[in-house]
Amino acid sequence: MSSPLAPNPDVNQMRFYIFRENSQEADFPRFEPAGVRCILTLAPILDCSSEQRRAIVEYERVRLQILEILEQTDAGPSWCMLLATIQSDPQPALGTPFIVPTIMIYCNNLQRCYHELAKADTYLRIEVRKGGIAFNVGTRESPFNYWYNEIAGPGRSIGVEGVKSSGTLGAYVHNKATYEIYGVTTAHVTMMHLHETNDRLPITLLENDQVKMVSNSDQDHDKELMDSKNLLDSAIKKDEDFGGICPRRAKIRANAQAHYQSVLQSDRSLGMVQYSQLSIVDTPQTGGKSWKDVGLVEIRDDRMGNSVCGFGTAEATNTTVTGHAPITPGMKVMKAIGRTTSAGAGLVNGTPADCRILCPHLTSSPAFSTREWVVLPERPAGHPFSDAGDSGCAILTRREFHECAVVAIVVAGAKVDCEEGGEGEGEIVSWEERIRSGRNSDGSPGYGGSVAIVTPAEEVLRYLARDLGAEFEFGI
């Protein structure tokens, strides 16, 4: 059993890695010394080379052992583990870009599991990051798409009336027999009022439960109202500073007053929850059990829009959804604009993630892990790939012209806590600094900063057909 190359971590930094000696170092090279500038990317592991195939086989061999370590050492109430690769950009100083298969673990109690993980009988590199995983409901200080719009289309903020929490309306679906149109999101978005009220799964809502959804959410309406009130107060003050005699300032004040009144009086009612269920089910595609987290929401006729999801790219700002497509390892996808984050390119990982997701609707944390599909951001970005409030957001793939298909919906997210490194603290050059800080050489959030846990569109449609006795399809 070889020893890790890395010394014991500084637990105050709460980040470390375990990089093992390898009998075949040509396949898995060590990171280069400090001073080499390049961007590191967390990329999918795929069955596309002998090295990656060997890594997948090795991971499946050691996976249960590492899961047992995470269970026994109390890695935290929620954690996520996945096999991926860390890749470097082509750089003259590096020559050929390297690809290092790595077991990425996101958890909170790093000190408790470090020494036990070092005993894992594997040649694979193990990287442990301070972070966690959770259903993507809630808020971020500056959500991307939180404001009210009369047309409640895909990507809009939604929530349960009377509850200060937010999710995303992911896409429209239609009943293939009756042509009735509904909105799709996750079940936990429609159950925000059931906080820690259930002691077991499944949790199911039907139309007669009379759960009313609004768009934008109460949480985001309060924020929009506060923003418009601040704008009005500022306009009033500037108008009064000019003695109320400046026509331009008076017009700005009138416009701000009109905007505040429109936000105050907006009719945010969306419709009733028609069906939602949160449970754990067997999923042959992942080789284990996965979260079933699907919600179907009524959409008022006067708030119905077209089936357009925002890509936010130079090629096509908006793209029409026309059906669904099967999810496949290595697939290039786009996360549509969500309530909290903008659009972003991603890649489907080649192996599922093992997750213990904290469920806010249960009275106690689940004592089990599930296997889930994972989408990795294609490139490190200055903002998370998905974040709290993006639950229900659509994952898309292009078809032709301005058409796309739904591949999956976002249900949860795993992310690194990068706050300790801080932004703007200067360049981080060495590999060791970058690994421990979770940042690239320019100080931006680094590889593995956030990944999206998703439910395939095929599974969503299968759940609806089985539970409601009707065939549905994405789009209108």
Side-chain angles (χ1 to χ4, degrees), residues 76-96:
S78 63
W79 42 260
C80 177
M81 177 179 76
L82 62 114
L83 177 67
T85 64
I86 295 174
Q87 300 185 10
S88 67
D89 279 354
Q91 296 288 334
L94 289 175
T96 304

Side-chain angles (χ1 to χ4, degrees), residues 14 50 62 108 118 184 220 269-270 273 307 314 337 377 434 446-447:
M14 300 293 283
S50 59
V62 77
N108 280 310
V184 165
D220 289 342
S269 174
L270 186 63
V273 174
S307 195
I337 291 172
R434 225 169 301 173
Y447 63 91

Side-chain angles (χ1 to χ4, degrees), residues 23-215:
S23 58
Q24 300 184 32
E25 292 193 11
D27 294 337
F28 300 98
R30 301 182 184 185
F31 286 147
E32 296 295 321
V36 179
R37 297 171 180 266
C38 79
I39 299 297
L40 300 179
T41 304
L42 187 68
I45 185 87
L46 300 172
D47 187 5
C48 59
S49 67
S50 59
E51 293 84 2
Q52 294 202 35
R53 282 193 293 271
R54 186 161 66 92
I56 292 171
V57 171
E58 170 65 10
Y59 177 68
E60 288 302 321
R61 184 190 70 80
V62 77
R63 183 177 71 87
L64 293 180
Q65 179 190 0
I66 298 178
L67 283 176
E68 185 177 0
I69 291 173
L70 293 174
E71 298 273 0
Q72 293 180 350
T73 56
D74 187 20
S78 63
W79 42 260
C80 177
M81 177 179 76
L82 62 114
L83 177 67
T85 64
I86 295 174
Q87 300 185 10
S88 67
D89 279 354
Q91 296 288 334
L94 289 175
T96 304
F98 64 73
I99 300 174
V100 182
T102 299
I103 299 173
M104 292 286 294
I105 299 174
Y106 302 82
C107 68
N108 280 310
N109 296 334
L110 305 189
Q111 329 75 317
R112 298 186 183 182
C113 59
Y114 171 75
H115 296 289
E116 293 302 317
L117 284 171
K119 300 174 185 176
D121 181 20
T122 180
Y123 68 83
L124 290 174
R125 182 178 183 277
I126 301 175
E127 180 164 332
V128 188
R129 294 287 196 88
K130 178 175 171 56
I133 182 170
F135 288 131
N136 277 340
V137 293
T139 186
R140 197 179 70 175
E141 188 171 327
S142 301
F144 180 78
N145 192 22
Y146 69 94
W147 57 88
Y148 171 81
N149 192 302
E150 184 178 354
I151 301 302
R156 288 293 170 186
S157 159
I158 61 174
V160 175
E161 185 179 48
V163 181
K164 307 294 186 184
S165 192
S166 308
T168 297
L169 180 65
Y172 292 143
V173 294
H174 65 272
N175 184 314
K176 295 169 73 172
T178 66
Y179 297 101
E180 292 176 301
I181 299 170
Y182 302 93
V184 165
T185 185
T186 63
H188 66 263
V189 168
T190 69
M191 297 176 180
M192 298 171 184
H193 59 299
L194 301 177
H195 184 71
E196 295 184 357
T197 56
N198 293 269
D199 58 2
R200 68 187 67 182
L201 297 171
I203 308 171
T204 305
L205 292 178
L206 298 174
E207 184 178 7
N208 56 15
D209 289 305
Q210 295 291 296
V211 177
K212 186 177 180 180
M213 302 295 291
V214 293
S215 177

Side-chain angles (χ1 to χ4, degrees), residues 148-423:
Y148 171 81
N149 192 302
E150 184 178 354
I151 301 302
R156 288 293 170 186
S157 159
I158 61 174
V160 175
E161 185 179 48
V163 181
K164 307 294 186 184
S165 192
S166 308
T168 297
L169 180 65
Y172 292 143
V173 294
H174 65 272
N175 184 314
K176 295 169 73 172
T178 66
Y179 297 101
E180 292 176 301
I181 299 170
Y182 302 93
V184 165
T185 185
T186 63
H188 66 263
V189 168
T190 69
M191 297 176 180
M192 298 171 184
H193 59 299
L194 301 177
H195 184 71
E196 295 184 357
T197 56
N198 293 269
D199 58 2
R200 68 187 67 182
L201 297 171
I203 308 171
T204 305
L205 292 178
L206 298 174
E207 184 178 7
N208 56 15
D209 289 305
Q210 295 291 296
V211 177
K212 186 177 180 180
M213 302 295 291
V214 293
S215 177
N216 49 1
S217 68
D218 283 11
Q219 180 183 53
D220 289 342
H221 175 67
D222 288 351
K223 175 175 173 54
E224 187 177 15
L225 196 62
M226 181 180 66
D227 290 347
S228 61
K229 184 62 167 61
N230 291 339
L231 185 66
L232 175 59
D233 291 343
S234 175
I236 291 173
K237 183 178 185 306
K238 290 180 180 179
D239 185 35
E240 291 176 347
D241 287 345
F242 276 80
I245 60 173
C246 175
R248 178 172 170 271
R249 294 292 178 185
K251 184 177 181 180
I252 291 174
R253 176 175 178 169
N255 289 340
Q257 179 68 48
H259 175 65
Y260 175 72
Q261 289 298 322
S262 69
V263 172
L264 191 64
Q265 298 169 10
S266 57
D267 182 5
R268 299 180 297 116
S269 174
L270 186 63
M272 296 294 180
V273 174
Q274 300 297 297
Y275 162 83
S276 66
Q277 186 173 89
L278 191 64
S279 63
I280 304 292
V281 296
D282 291 316
T283 50
Q285 281 187 304
T286 64
K289 294 183 180 295
S290 302
W291 281 96
K292 175 184 176 183
D293 190 5
V294 179
L296 198 65
V297 178
E298 176 188 16
I299 306 291
R300 274 172 38 189
D301 289 344
D302 60 338
R303 300 203 65 189
M304 184 81 65
N306 53 26
S307 195
V308 170
C309 287
F311 266 5
T313 62
E315 296 86 358
T317 301
N318 294 310
T319 309
T320 303
V321 171
T322 56
H324 73 282
I327 192 168
T328 56
M331 187 179 200
K332 185 172 182 177
V333 295
M334 288 292 298
K335 185 190 75 65
I337 291 172
R339 173 264 181 190
T340 307
T341 59
S342 61
L347 296 162
V348 179
N349 200 35
T351 61
D354 289 282
C355 307
R356 177 180 283 185
I357 303 176
L358 191 62
C359 178
H361 312 299
L362 295 175
T363 54
S364 60
S365 301
F368 50 81
S369 61
T370 59
R371 302 206 81 188
E372 310 288 347
W373 283 94
V374 182
V375 176
L376 310 176
E378 188 174 27
R379 299 280 298 173
H383 58 80
F385 184 63
S386 68
D387 209 336
D390 283 332
S391 281
C393 185
I395 301 292
L396 310 168
T397 185
R398 291 190 185 278
R399 283 183 165 168
E400 56 184 10
F401 303 110
H402 284 190
E403 294 184 353
C404 65
V406 178
V407 174
I409 61 171
V410 175
V411 297
K415 63 179 181 179
V416 175
D417 176 9
C418 288
E419 293 181 359
E420 293 166 20
E423 295 191 27

